[in-house]
Amino acid sequence: MTIKCTECPLRDAECFIPFTDDELRFMLRFKVGELVIEPKTTILLEGSSAPKLYTVLDGMGLRYKILPDGRRQVLNFIYPGDFIGLQAGLLGEMKHSADATTKMTLCVFERRDLGSLFKSNADRAYDITWLAAVEEHFLGSSISTIGQRDARARMAWALVRIYYRSRSVGFADGQRVTFPFKQQDLADTLGLSLVHTNKTLAKFRAAGLVSWVDGVLTYTNLAELETIAMTEASEHLEPRPLM
Amino acid sequence: MTIKCTECPLRDAECFIPFTDDELRFMLRFKVGELVIEPKTTILLEGSSAPKLYTVLDGMGLRYKILPDGRRQVLNFIYPGDFIGLQAGLLGEMKHSADATTKMTLCVFERRDLGSLFKSNADRAYDITWLAAVEEHFLGSSISTIGQRDARARMAWALVRIYYRSRSVGFADGQRVTFPFKQQDLADTLGLSLVHTNKTLAKFRAAGLVSWVDGVLTYTNLAELETIAMTEASEHLEPRPLM
DNA sequence: CGAGTATTTGATGCAGTTCAACGCTCGTGG
DNA sequence: CCACGAGCGTTGAACTGCATCAAATACTCG
């Protein structure tokens, strides 16, 4: 049942840098299989020394940390094309957890092959580092948002980002965007309480900016959201390598 | 006046993974010079496409982002051994700025050599990626702290981290730690106002946990700080590669 | 139809922001 | 040599954004 990389559904998505045939042949040596997991299951657990790395082929999820007092901080939403497990691959153990929110299909690699990948293909090694740098950039933006902005701006920032991120992987249909998460997930992303998250969303809805019904976000005034978020619209579209 | 890598003062610090002779010879090919900069000068500016990468040989600084409304979020303190400019090297431009707080000595590399480094030395490429992963881990911890903890816990978290980080590069003399920053810097790190940062510090001082006088932090009850911070003491000591 | 989960709304309180003022130290210029 | 202003730390007072508590309303599913 395994899809060959040659037929990988992601290769054609415009947001990814096209695989060369060389790269394709190369990656085939590292791919060890595919994994389909059910909604609400954990892919990688903080502290574990996961022996596998994954590229998300389909589905969505969350990266998060659980604090000693039980509070949860969501670090990032996981979209198709994301590469997960790199921390365990490099540092020996995961520094955060990753859950699948929807049903998810993963392309599986062996962690122990990471070293030989670096040795045998400098371009792919460079791509991995590139992905790490992009992640670092995103986390920096998150820190700025959470540390410096109020609830309104945080929410707008997240919604704008969700829009562009979704669109780049084909989850947007005009103004309508698939978003299979709960308000609690968004609250834990923004460092806000669930109640205040809900009230902030309600104000946005009343102001005709977005609505969120049944896992679908509808953006009725994206420009205004971008103004509130104080983002430069640029940041969102760069094509990325696919592992 | 340039110090040869063979005499690099950092090589001996216990926190760094020892250079092999091979690595040493290799890095010599990439080093293009040394740079000494004055306190309060900017090393790299957000948005710039800095053509250089640096390893900090001596001195301390800040990585930060400035938001459109002028607020500042400090992402990280810069210590000796830190590698800066990787984002520009990989992504084409810096996604944050970096300032020297003290006088600083930098080891300079050419950004355009980064590709050939990846091609010619897989181990060093791996080390760079490792550093990026550690940075990502740290930023994740920051997000959790800023997003989920109150001022008291944030402050304790920062102080504990500063202690271990300083000690690992030899800036600690028993309980006394060199810390050449201002309260405003710490406030912008923790996402707190200057006033509240000051008051939180005052409480810690009154409780006999730390004092901070003339750029020197004195830790009088580190254990209690760790309790307040809810950190596992482990996290702090891992040796890291030096570029 | 009842139990569990998610969203929504109102009421209350406090942690942290903002505004304001004062003291100390240091560098600069008259 | 002193006066002055700038930068930083400190402290008080008042306000407010958000957390917390509480409870009602869907909605789904066995």
Side-chain angles (χ1 to χ4, degrees):
Chain A
M1 291 299 287
T2 297
I3 300 170
K4 293 204 172 59
C5 293
T6 43
E7 299 157 19
C8 177
L10 288 177
R11 282 186 69 200
D12 298 325
E14 57 198 285
C15 62
F16 301 114
I17 296 167
F19 264 42
T20 63
D21 287 342
D22 257 11
E23 282 173 339
L24 198 60
R25 249 177 283 119
F26 183 80
M27 291 311 287
L28 276 170
R29 286 169 37 200
F30 287 100
K31 178 166 181 176
V32 297
E34 263 178 43
L35 186 60
V36 176
I37 56 179
E38 290 306 303
K40 302 186 186 183
T41 55
T42 298
I43 309 167
L44 294 169
L45 191 62
E46 182 170 356
S48 72
S49 66
K52 310 285 189 201
L53 308 177
Y54 308 97
T55 290
V56 177
L57 297 180
D58 191 35
M60 300 185 74
L62 295 171
R63 295 181 214 258
Y64 62 93
K65 285 172 88 83
I66 301 288
L67 306 191
D69 64 359
R71 301 175 72 110
R72 180 182 70 155
Q73 175 68 43
V74 171
L75 300 175
N76 212 340
F77 299 111
I78 298 171
Y79 282 77
D82 279 12
F83 189 51
I84 54 185
L86 184 60
Q87 281 197 346
L90 289 161
L91 305 182
E93 68 172 55
M94 287 301 290
K95 302 301 186 181
H96 57 253
S97 301
D99 278 9
T101 301
T102 67
K103 187 173 181 182
M104 207 180 237
T105 308
L106 301 167
C107 184
V108 185
F109 306 99
E110 284 290 343
R111 171 182 159 181
R112 64 165 173 274
D113 291 342
L114 197 57
S116 77
L117 185 151
F118 267 76
K119 284 193 178 49
S120 56
N121 193 322
D123 289 334
R124 298 267 75 194
Y126 193 91
D127 285 342
I128 286 180
T129 312
W130 195 95
L131 287 174
V134 167
E135 192 64 18
E136 186 185 327
H137 167 217
F138 171 70
L139 293 179
S141 299
S142 294
I143 292 177
S144 300
T145 298
I146 295 171
Q148 302 299 329
R149 305 213 231 259
D150 66 13
R152 205 174 125 81
R154 287 189 218 181
M155 178 66 74
W157 173 84
L159 290 170
V160 168
R161 178 162 172 84
I162 288 161
Y163 176 77
Y164 285 106
R165 192 79 212 284
S166 300
R167 208 180 59 169
S168 81
V169 294
F171 281 177
D173 171 19
Q175 302 180 322
R176 294 164 46 84
V177 168
T178 303
F179 191 68
F181 299 99
K182 294 181 270 177
Q183 292 191 3
Q184 185 69 63
D185 298 323
L186 197 48
D188 291 346
T189 302
L190 298 175
L192 298 171
S193 69
L194 172 60
V195 172
H196 203 249
T197 298
N198 181 286
K199 287 175 180 169
T200 306
L201 275 169
K203 279 180 196 155
F204 279 16
R205 194 186 322 128
L209 302 178
V210 278
S211 70
W212 181 5
V213 179
D214 281 341
V216 175
L217 282 163
T218 304
Y219 290 79
T220 37
N221 194 343
L222 182 62
E224 179 63 14
L225 281 177
E226 291 186 316
T227 304
I228 298 170
M230 298 186 292
T231 55
E232 317 80 44
S234 58
E235 249 189 75
H236 301 291
L237 307 145
E238 211 176 350
R240 14 186 283 131
L242 185 62
M243 291 309 297
Chain B
M1 290 298 286
T2 296
I3 301 171
K4 292 203 173 61
C5 294
T6 43
E7 299 158 19
C8 177
L10 288 179
R11 281 187 69 199
D12 297 326
E14 56 198 285
C15 63
F16 301 113
I17 296 168
F19 263 43
T20 64
D21 287 343
D22 257 10
E23 282 175 340
L24 198 61
R25 249 177 283 119
F26 184 79
M27 289 313 287
L28 276 169
R29 286 168 39 200
F30 287 100
K31 178 165 181 175
V32 297
E34 263 178 43
L35 186 61
V36 176
I37 56 179
E38 290 306 304
K40 303 184 186 184
T41 56
T42 298
I43 309 167
L44 294 169
L45 190 62
E46 181 171 355
S48 72
S49 65
K52 310 286 189 200
L53 308 178
Y54 307 97
T55 289
V56 178
L57 298 180
D58 191 35
M60 298 184 74
L62 295 172
R63 296 180 213 259
Y64 62 92
K65 285 172 88 85
I66 300 289
L67 306 192
D69 64 358
R71 301 175 72 109
R72 180 181 70 154
Q73 175 68 44
V74 172
L75 300 175
N76 212 341
F77 299 111
I78 297 171
Y79 283 79
D82 279 11
F83 188 52
I84 56 186
L86 183 60
Q87 281 198 345
L90 289 161
L91 305 182
E93 69 173 54
M94 287 302 290
K95 302 302 186 179
H96 58 253
S97 300
D99 278 9
T101 300
T102 67
K103 188 174 181 181
M104 207 180 238
T105 308
L106 301 167
C107 183
V108 185
F109 306 99
E110 283 291 342
R111 171 182 160 181
R112 64 163 172 274
D113 291 342
L114 197 57
S116 78
L117 185 150
F118 268 75
K119 283 194 180 47
S120 55
N121 192 323
D123 289 335
R124 298 267 77 193
Y126 192 91
D127 285 342
I128 286 180
T129 313
W130 196 95
L131 287 173
V134 167
E135 192 64 18
E136 186 186 327
H137 167 215
F138 170 70
L139 294 178
S141 299
S142 294
I143 292 178
S144 299
T145 297
I146 296 172
Q148 302 299 328
R149 303 211 233 257
D150 65 14
R152 203 174 126 82
R154 287 189 219 183
M155 179 65 75
W157 173 84
L159 290 170
V160 168
R161 177 162 174 86
I162 288 162
Y163 176 76
Y164 285 106
R165 190 80 212 284
S166 299
R167 209 181 57 169
S168 82
V169 295
F171 281 176
D173 171 19
Q175 302 180 321
R176 293 164 47 85
V177 168
T178 304
F179 191 69
F181 300 98
K182 295 180 269 179
Q183 292 192 1
Q184 185 69 63
D185 297 323
L186 198 49
D188 291 346
T189 302
L190 299 174
L192 298 171
S193 69
L194 172 60
V195 171
H196 202 248
T197 298
N198 180 289
K199 287 175 181 169
T200 305
L201 275 169
K203 279 181 197 156
F204 279 15
R205 194 186 322 128
L209 302 179
V210 278
S211 71
W212 180 5
V213 179
D214 282 341
V216 176
L217 281 164
T218 304
Y219 290 78
T220 37
N221 194 342
L222 182 62
E224 178 62 15
L225 281 177
E226 292 186 315
T227 304
I228 297 169
M230 298 188 291
T231 54
E232 318 79 42
S234 58
E235 249 190 74
H236 302 292
L237 309 144
E238 211 176 352
R240 14 185 283 130
L242 186 62
M243 291 309 299

